[in-house]
Amino acid sequence: MTFMAVASLPPNGPTPAHYRQLTQAFDPPSAGSFYPGPSSESVKKRMATMTLSRDIQKQTAAAVCRFCGASLRRTFVDLGMSPLCESFPAAADINRGEVYYPLHVYVCEKCFLVQLEQYESPENIFSDYAYFSSFSDSWLKHAENYCNKMATRFALTAKSLVIEVASNDGYLLQYFVRQNVPVLGIEPAANVAKVAVEKGVPTLVKFLGAGLAKALALEGRCADLVLGNNVLAQVPDLNDFVEGLKILLKPKGVLTLEFPHLLRLMELNEFDTIYHEHFSYFSMLTTKQVFEAHGLKVFDVEELPTHGGSLRVYGCRAESKTHPVEAKVKDLIAQEEEAGMGSIKGYENFAAQVKQTKCALIDFLLKAARDGKSVAGYGAPGKSATLLHYCGIGKDMIQYTVDRSPYKQGRFLPGTHIPIYHPDKIRETKPDYIVILPWNLKDEIIGQLQYIREWGGQFVVPIPKVTVC
């Protein structure tokens, strides 16, 4: 066994550049990969003659913050093991096995970025994707309202350009197209991008990074408005992505990003929003640091109800005088600091809260089973993989779920193999309880399924605490 020499690391921990050098020097099989390894006899011989220095052991084993490069030592919450949440096996695949990865979440003691380690590449996760934004009516309305607001606030016209990163199936940009505002979508999932193009939304099937942004800038395709909804959490190379966003901006251009707010995640026990597609979880405190590191400034922020509580952050180039910083930015940072998010101690109690929610949901489902009640699910969102695996819930407790997406119907939830049907299955089987797995859309779903009251059916909302309604 031969180890390549590794340069000594700086005292404050490895930077992203050091880490790339390190992983190139020593690149063992990643979690989830199938590696036969050497024979046990050869291992014994090598162990008898080789001792790995402690410094090298630390350098090869320690996880580092994807933003600031500091070593990650503090656990935020450990949710056990889970498969990729958007990998819905077909009937022919359910006996072939699935790969599980640790959902061990860390908080950086230096910049307070909450994060998972990366076990799978974005290409493997997102190139063929099961999530289509247009299947949620409330999300479409949210997108339309956003487009109307941005067009008015920033005077977007036929001479402007709007670029959306992770533009999905054109759910949002279609509303700018209707206003004759030129658009460009950037979406890595070819199957989803195809639907956007069919809607008249020009779309590049690419991942955004500094390289792609430079290429677009050289073509003169910088934007008056760059936006990304629920994508910042999904990029493992955070610094390359944010640098790309900056490059895409015109000198007076505006950037808006929407993402779940870490403060609300903690307050409302929204642990199921932690899954392998989401590499990072952001506070305003950390977001401001990330922006500033890349020559951007946050000049405004809105708190939104979407996804259990999100932020819409407005940014621009740091040197821009067009957009003064609003008081709301300072107010939100003060609110986070008051909640303890500016100190590592503020993150210590989350794991205990999560355990309480787990126990309450299991207790409810066990009682329902003992009472002979039938239980179905509604939806097949990514968050359901975390909820079900962490709580140990299978099809013995939730017999099936339904989803409006034809892509998911006829398939199975990852790992648990709970079958996914068309929503008509609910009327056919008349379950006593329906667990709303995309609880962030509970109002929309309850409104759609009022007919379950005909047979005395009730809804179960699992987060932030188990509620029957």
Side-chain angles (χ1 to χ4, degrees):
M1 183 179 291
T2 303
F3 290 89
M4 296 176 65
V6 178
S8 61
L9 300 179
N12 292 328
T15 64
H18 280 91
Y19 189 57
R20 284 191 292 271
Q21 294 171 2
L22 182 63
T23 53
Q24 288 166 2
F26 175 71
D27 190 13
S30 60
S33 63
F34 296 93
Y35 175 62
S39 67
S40 59
E41 195 60 38
S42 65
V43 169
K44 288 178 183 177
K45 290 179 181 178
R46 290 174 186 177
M47 290 296 289
T49 58
M50 183 195 72
T51 302
L52 199 61
S53 76
R54 291 190 178 184
D55 286 343
I56 292 293
Q57 287 182 32
K58 290 178 181 177
Q59 290 171 10
T60 57
V64 297
C65 176
R66 63 174 39 90
F67 168 55
C68 72
S71 295
L72 296 176
R73 295 184 290 265
R74 292 283 191 140
T75 295
F76 178 62
V77 66
D78 189 344
L79 298 172
M81 303 286 286
S82 178
L84 296 180
C85 66
E86 293 287 349
S87 57
F88 299 96
D93 300 323
I94 59 174
N95 291 328
R96 296 180 181 175
E98 294 176 66
V99 183
Y100 280 61
Y101 305 89
L103 271 178
H104 189 157
V105 192
Y106 295 90
V107 56
C108 177
E109 296 171 88
K110 184 177 179 182
C111 68
F112 304 115
L113 179 65
V114 171
Q115 57 200 283
L116 287 168
E117 290 187 68
Q118 178 188 350
Y119 297 105
E120 270 288 2
S121 69
E123 289 77 13
N124 285 346
I125 295 175
F126 298 112
S127 293
D128 185 47
Y129 200 43
Y131 179 73
F132 291 75
S133 297
S134 292
F135 284 109
S136 169
D137 295 336
S138 60
W139 188 243
L140 286 176
K141 189 63 180 176
H142 174 80
E144 184 178 16
N145 290 341
Y146 168 87
C147 293
N148 292 337
K149 183 173 183 175
M150 296 304 109
T152 300
R153 180 172 179 178
F154 301 115
L156 301 174
T157 68
K159 294 182 179 180
S160 307
L161 176 62
V162 175
I163 295 179
E164 182 181 11
V165 183
S167 51
N168 202 262
D169 60 3
Y171 76 101
L172 184 146
L173 290 180
Q174 63 181 333
Y175 297 111
F176 280 127
V177 170
R178 293 176 191 177
Q179 297 179 41
N180 295 316
V181 176
V183 303
L184 175 65
I186 300 175
E187 169 56 52
N191 64 315
V192 178
K194 181 176 181 290
V195 176
V197 172
E198 291 169 354
K199 292 178 180 176
V201 177
T203 306
L204 291 177
V205 183
K206 298 280 188 181
F207 286 95
L208 178 70
L212 176 60
K214 288 175 184 175
L216 291 172
L218 287 172
E219 295 172 5
R221 291 202 276 181
C222 287
D224 300 273
L225 174 64
V226 177
L227 71 119
N229 287 345
N230 301 303
V231 62
L232 188 64
Q234 295 181 321
V235 290
D237 194 339
L238 181 61
N239 289 308
D240 182 62
F241 179 78
V242 176
E243 186 66 20
L245 294 174
K246 184 189 74 172
I247 292 168
L248 286 179
L249 283 177
K250 289 181 179 178
K252 295 183 179 180
V254 171
L255 165 68
T256 73
L257 295 174
E258 293 183 21
F259 48 83
H261 188 190
L262 179 59
L263 176 59
R264 304 303 167 216
L265 184 155
M266 294 166 65
E267 286 180 340
L268 299 176
N269 267 350
E270 296 167 353
F271 67 90
D272 59 341
T273 59
I274 296 169
Y275 44 82
H276 290 297
E277 291 180 7
H278 289 174
F279 299 105
S280 306
Y281 304 84
F282 293 89
S283 63
M284 187 71 253
L285 280 162
T286 299
T287 302
K288 184 172 180 288
Q289 291 181 63
V290 173
F291 271 43
E292 290 173 350
H294 291 275
L296 295 166
K297 71 176 178 181
V298 177
F299 68 85
D300 198 3
V301 63
E302 294 177 55
E303 295 187 78
L304 307 172
T306 54
H307 297 286
S310 296
L311 296 181
R312 177 184 291 156
V313 172
Y314 293 75
C316 62
R317 291 178 176 269
E319 66 274 13
S320 174
K321 307 297 183 185
T322 308
H323 306 288
V325 178
E326 303 283 343
K328 286 185 288 185
V329 177
K330 289 184 178 180
D331 292 344
L332 184 57
I333 288 175
Q335 183 182 346
E336 290 183 346
E337 288 176 337
E338 186 177 349
M341 299 183 77
S343 164
I344 200 67
K345 284 191 171 295
Y347 300 83
E348 291 178 347
N349 295 326
F350 183 68
Q353 298 172 202
V354 169
K355 186 176 180 180
Q356 291 175 359
T357 302
K358 171 181 179 174
C359 292
L361 181 57
I362 293 173
D363 286 347
F364 171 81
L365 291 173
L366 286 173
K367 184 178 186 305
R370 285 194 296 267
D371 294 345
K373 302 295 186 181
S374 56
V375 182
Y378 188 98
K383 57 171 63 75
S384 66
T386 299
L387 181 73
L388 299 177
H389 283 89
Y390 175 66
C391 295
I393 297 168
K395 53 189 174 184
D396 54 339
M397 292 189 178
I398 297 179
Q399 287 77 55
Y400 68 85
T401 191
V402 301
D403 200 276
R404 292 175 66 185
S405 171
Y407 186 92
K408 298 178 183 179
Q409 293 165 12
R411 293 176 175 266
F412 299 81
L413 291 181
T416 62
H417 295 171
I418 293 171
I420 307 168
Y421 296 108
H422 186 280
D424 288 347
K425 185 76 171 179
I426 290 174
R427 194 179 288 276
E428 293 171 15
T429 61
K430 297 180 172 56
D432 297 299
Y433 295 109
I434 295 176
V435 180
I436 300 177
L437 297 172
W439 45 261
N440 53 298
L441 301 176
K442 64 181 184 296
D443 293 338
E444 176 183 340
I445 293 166
I446 290 172
Q448 292 171 358
L449 301 185
Q450 275 300 306
Y451 61 83
I452 74 168
R453 308 298 190 190
E454 297 169 8
W455 60 82
Q458 292 180 285
F459 298 99
V460 181
V461 183
I463 303 292
K465 63 180 180 179
V466 177
T467 304
V468 180
C469 56

